[in-house]
Amino acid sequence: MSDKKTLLIVAGDGIGPEVMSEVLRVIEWLDKRRGIPFEVTQGLVGGAALDAEDTPLSDATMAKALAADAVLLGAVGGPKWDGLPFEKKPERGLLRLRKEMALFANLRPAPVFDALVDASPLKPEIVRGLDIVIVRELTGGVYFGEPRGITPLPEGGFRGVNTQVYTTPEIVRIARIAFELAGRRQGRVCSVEKANVMESGVLWRREVQALHDAEFPAIALSHMYADNCAMQLLRDPRQFDVIVTDNLFGDMLSDEAAMLTGSLGMLPSASLGEADAQGRRRALYEPVHGSAPDIAGRGIANPLASLLSFAMCLRWSFGLDAEADLLEAAVKGVLDGGLRTADIMQPGKARVSTRVMGESIVRELDKLAG
Ligand code: IPM
Ligand code: MG
């Protein structure tokens, strides 16, 4: 095994390519200023892949993703490809990456930056200092469960079916990630399902509790129904440290948590596979914000979510904690210094382009690294 660090960048659609350019700037900085070279290859995903390769993710790109130490994704989708059949939708490219790389654990932190506390639609006294992570199961549940499909009914009309299904190993491995993560944070896990109406939820609750009792008794574990969790996130979000939940509830609750911060353009995510014997995991990092077709190509998108996703990559895939800390500190420094992209603009601050934001991060890195 060589110790070259390999990255596959799939910038995708909409603002994806614009924000990923700023990540490349930081990759270059790490090489030049810290002596940490990455071997970067690029590939197509989503609508960009559909246009050029007639598929939302080619087998060749899939193979590169499986071979890379980590994949950095921009965003997929846009109105241009909305009318396509299901198997051809840009989103299928992303779902294929998640499934074939077996990225079962999706980490979505939702921190409220002090400088942006007023951007939240909630009162500052409710969200100041908020720091939660949603750990979402990503390769199971209703997203992939069988049977699924739309079949005609004899009397006319159709029947649409999806299946919510979870097994003990699927629940245990995602719960373990949540407990381990909480151990490095505030030591609290809230497990979320609908055990009041779903058998898959009953099993979920039972298995999470059993793993806790057997291996993580020092973590404070609570259980909550998903609808209540949606409400509690608005009522008192700081009661949470790590929330662990299934694929569909995680999809919804992570959007809600993102909105608490008021700045979707700031939020990173990591999707991780099982660790191998050397402790290495397949991993994909992407901003939560999506392709934002309405502002694509104008150079005004916020690159900070992609940069913070790259910080997660440095930490989780390469153990470069010092560099991850530096990059996160640079983001904080630039915000404290008053620079804002359009999406997080506030009165009295300086509005900058995607590119100026990226350049400012690099300048801040220079400053912080001495
Ligand atoms: C997300 C997105 C995806 C999902 C879509 C684009 C398929 O909403 O990453 O949360 O539903 O998982
Ligand atoms: Mg979503």
Side-chain angles (χ1 to χ4, degrees):
M1 193 81 25
S2 87
D3 41 52
K4 248 184 307 178
K5 298 173 178 49
T6 58
L7 290 173
L8 172 68
I9 296 190
V10 280
D13 307 321
I15 61 174
E18 296 163 55
V19 294
M20 291 315 292
S21 298
E22 305 312 314
V23 175
L24 281 167
R25 218 185 275 286
V26 171
I27 290 173
E28 197 183 301
W29 183 86
L30 286 170
D31 184 12
K32 292 226 174 85
R33 303 298 305 272
R34 305 283 286 189
I36 303 172
F38 289 87
E39 193 180 293
V40 178
T41 51
Q42 308 229 17
L44 299 173
V45 69
L50 272 166
D51 287 352
E53 302 169 338
D54 198 34
T55 163
L57 187 82
S58 69
D59 293 342
T61 308
M62 188 66 240
K64 283 192 208 163
L66 289 169
D69 290 327
V71 177
L72 305 180
L73 185 128
V76 295
K80 180 173 173 199
W81 306 282
D82 272 352
L84 292 173
F86 201 61
E87 319 71 55
K88 283 223 155 176
K89 284 202 181 302
E91 288 79 1
R92 297 313 299 177
L94 175 57
L95 293 174
R96 181 176 181 197
L97 282 167
R98 287 176 181 171
K99 191 68 184 176
E100 291 191 28
M101 292 172 74
L103 306 173
F104 68 93
N106 184 218
L107 276 47
R108 299 191 167 185
V112 168
F113 290 84
D114 279 340
L116 298 179
V117 70
D118 292 319
S120 173
L122 295 196
K123 298 190 193 85
E125 60 268 30
I126 293 184
V127 294
R128 184 171 285 113
L130 179 70
D131 177 18
I132 55 182
V133 180
I134 299 208
V135 176
R136 167 187 174 191
E137 199 292 325
L138 203 61
T139 51
V142 75
Y143 271 58
F144 298 98
E146 298 283 346
R148 64 184 299 159
I150 300 178
T151 49
L153 291 171
E155 65 270 29
F158 297 86
R159 181 169 184 266
V161 178
N162 291 92
T163 303
Q164 167 78 337
V165 49
Y166 274 105
T167 61
T168 296
E170 287 177 306
I171 299 167
V172 168
R173 66 182 183 178
I174 190 72
R176 173 169 280 115
I177 296 263
F179 288 131
E180 285 173 358
L181 184 63
R184 282 181 261 137
R185 295 168 45 90
Q186 301 163 44
R188 288 180 291 125
V189 169
C190 180
S191 171
V192 172
E193 27 57 15
K194 284 281 286 179
N196 50 347
V197 284
M198 296 162 78
E199 280 76 7
S200 57
V202 172
L203 181 68
W204 182 283
R205 184 174 289 220
R206 197 195 290 163
E207 298 293 2
V208 172
Q209 187 68 51
L211 177 68
H212 170 268
D213 297 351
E215 295 184 35
F216 300 95
I219 301 289
L221 171 64
S222 58
H223 302 274
M224 199 178 270
Y225 297 141
D227 52 346
N228 185 28
C229 181
M231 184 177 74
Q232 295 297 334
L233 274 171
L234 296 183
R235 199 185 65 84
D236 175 22
R238 282 178 305 203
Q239 71 184 280
F240 299 108
D241 175 19
V242 174
I243 292 175
V244 62
T245 189
D246 77 13
N247 204 343
L248 184 60
F249 294 141
D251 181 43
M252 296 188 281
L253 294 173
S254 62
D255 266 22
E256 188 184 351
M259 199 61 220
L260 293 178
T261 72
S263 37
L264 198 55
M266 296 293 301
L267 300 181
S269 79
S271 303
L272 309 172
E274 204 82 76
D276 67 13
Q278 286 78 46
R280 302 186 341 166
R281 303 174 182 276
R282 292 229 163 89
L284 178 143
Y285 301 86
E286 60 179 312
V288 170
H289 53 57
S291 61
D294 51 321
I295 60 161
R298 291 167 52 196
I300 60 170
N302 186 347
L304 296 180
S306 285
L307 291 166
L308 291 170
S309 299
F310 184 54
M312 291 185 89
C313 171
L314 294 173
R315 206 182 290 287
W316 283 90
S317 288
F318 301 109
L320 293 168
D321 287 21
E323 283 69 26
D325 289 346
L326 260 182
L327 183 49
E328 286 167 0
V331 169
K332 198 170 167 301
V334 164
L335 291 174
D336 289 343
L339 298 193
R340 300 284 187 273
T341 42
D343 57 309
I344 52 172
M345 185 57 192
Q346 295 164 306
K349 306 295 177 190
R351 181 175 176 148
V352 298
S353 65
T354 309
R355 184 186 176 138
V356 169
M357 185 58 100
E359 289 167 351
S360 307
I361 292 289
V362 166
R363 257 201 308 281
E364 189 74 15
L365 283 169
D366 273 330
K367 201 171 97 192
L368 291 169

